[in-house]
Amino acid sequence: MSIMVPSKTPALITPGRQALDSALHQLDRAAEHLGLDDGLRTMLATPRRSLTVSVPVRREDGRLDVVQGFRVQHNVSRGPAKGGLRFHSATDIHEVTALAMWMTWKCALVGIPYGGAKGGVAVDPTALTTRELERLTRRYVNEILPLIGPEKDIPAPDVGTDEQTMAWIMDTYSVNAGYSVPGVVTGKPMTLGGSLGRAGATSRGVQIAALAALGRSPEGVTVAVQGFGKVGALAAQYLSDAGCRVVAVSDITGAVHAPGGLDVARLRAYAAETGGVRGFHQADAMSHDDLFELDVDILVPAALEGVITEANAPRVRARLVVEGANGPTTPEADEILAANGATVVPDILANAGGVVVSYLEWVQNMQAYSWSSAEVELKLRDLMLGAFSEVASLAAERGLTLRQAAHVIGVGRVAEAHQMRGLYP
Ligand code: NAD
């Protein structure tokens, strides 16, 4: 049986719906490979809990806006739900469900004792003042309060949120509890129980996965990065530090190209000062679309879902695509890339460094103890390389792509947890 995808009319196919279709397609392939029965497949295709809330926000001019917020716990069979919180105007319940599902497989794949969750608020955070953002965050947290907690569901930063957002969540939850609960979120500022190494963890993981997949010296290897936010900017930095030549990056403001290599540290400083990479004087401007088609060794999509599609995949020249973002490649594009001999290191493996160090942060919080950055880095490297080698071995043994192998391992572990626990009542 294949997993039922509700029928849709073209007008209703949002990017979020496309992301969910991709996630269900990947699950279906893995379930088929694992020989899972229909009932278990349906359970794994369905989120455990899904909450939609209305979030009223008082604007600075006195107006009242109401935005929609979501929290989806896809699966909690292996431990508390874990997943980021996204502030983006186009987010919807489908996108949040897809992202929660990918979190479930990701946590299982890297062997950390979490299920998968995700949160989202359909708002453009750049259009709000800091005080408006704070009010929005606190009210959203209040609305989802019954779902979250250090033993239940632990949010973290994602697109449009950062450590300040996590501090507000931690404070709102703690005020309601009557005492400080640092373990309710990860990606917090250091002063509130954050972990050394968390801010750069996803990007460090991208670097580790990229170099493992490259399998040769990174010296002179060319890289293009789409998205220059928390994940993309530091991924570019770490790959450049390792000896790669980062020749192009983009963000929402534009794309810049320097065939001789960008000075990534300078570009990060420039983007922090001006609000984006556009206009960086030591590079040429290029179009967003052209970045995907550059003749580079490694392409790192690190922005949003569904950017490598059947339309542009035939023109992707990179031999290695390392998914910093969640869901950047559609299933149709995946097939085209594979047929053209490109290797894709899938999101649930390539960007798992973030949730790995989130887990380490949570463990430190639960023990009221903190580790050195060297300890955190070592554990991150061990978990990333361990997962990478398991995925690569399974792919080679069974003739699968890295994405198929990663899903077979992740989905298989969650299925096994369900089977061992049995069904209540
Ligand atoms: P962010 O908000 O910090 O950065 C997003 C970046 O994408 C920004 O630079 C933005 O300008 C850029 N962008 C948006 N639309 C674009 C477009 N059309 N073209 C080019 N650039 C565009 O978000 P982030 O935390 O860096 O997350 C990026 C991706 O990584 C998301 O898919 C997220 O789910 C995933 N991810 C994040 C983490 C984490 O720890 N933050 C962990 C795992 C996966």
Side-chain angles (χ1 to χ4, degrees), residues 86 88 99 103 106 118 157-161 198-199 202 226-232 250-254 288 302-305 307 324-327 351-352 354-355:
R86 174 172 295 194
H88 191 275
L99 291 163
M103 283 304 294
K106 190 182 303 181
K118 204 78 181 190
D158 191 77
V159 172
T161 58
R198 174 60 184 92
T202 310
Q226 185 231 9
F228 206 63
K230 294 185 294 298
V231 177
S250 66
D251 66 9
I252 193 76
T253 67
H288 278 115
L304 294 167
E305 304 93 65
V307 294
N326 287 304
N351 70 33
V355 77

Side-chain angles (χ1 to χ4, degrees), residues 309-372:
T309 64
E310 59 190 325
N312 63 1
R315 295 191 298 277
V316 168
R317 283 189 279 173
R319 297 292 78 203
L320 188 56
V321 177
V322 183
E323 296 183 335
N326 287 304
T329 312
T330 65
E332 298 79 17
D334 238 358
E335 283 182 19
I336 295 168
L337 293 176
N340 289 346
T343 299
V344 179
V345 186
D347 45 12
I348 62 169
L349 174 60
N351 70 33
V355 77
V356 165
V357 179
S358 273
Y359 164 63
L360 300 177
E361 178 176 331
W362 178 79
V363 172
Q364 292 169 79
N365 293 158
M366 300 306 252
Q367 298 175 340
Y369 191 69
S370 57
W371 297 328
S372 68

Side-chain angles (χ1 to χ4, degrees), residues 156-173:
D158 191 77
V159 172
T161 58
D162 58 15
E163 61 174 32
Q164 175 62 75
T165 325
M166 298 305 115
W168 291 328
I169 297 177
M170 182 266 191
D171 182 68
T172 306
Y173 186 90

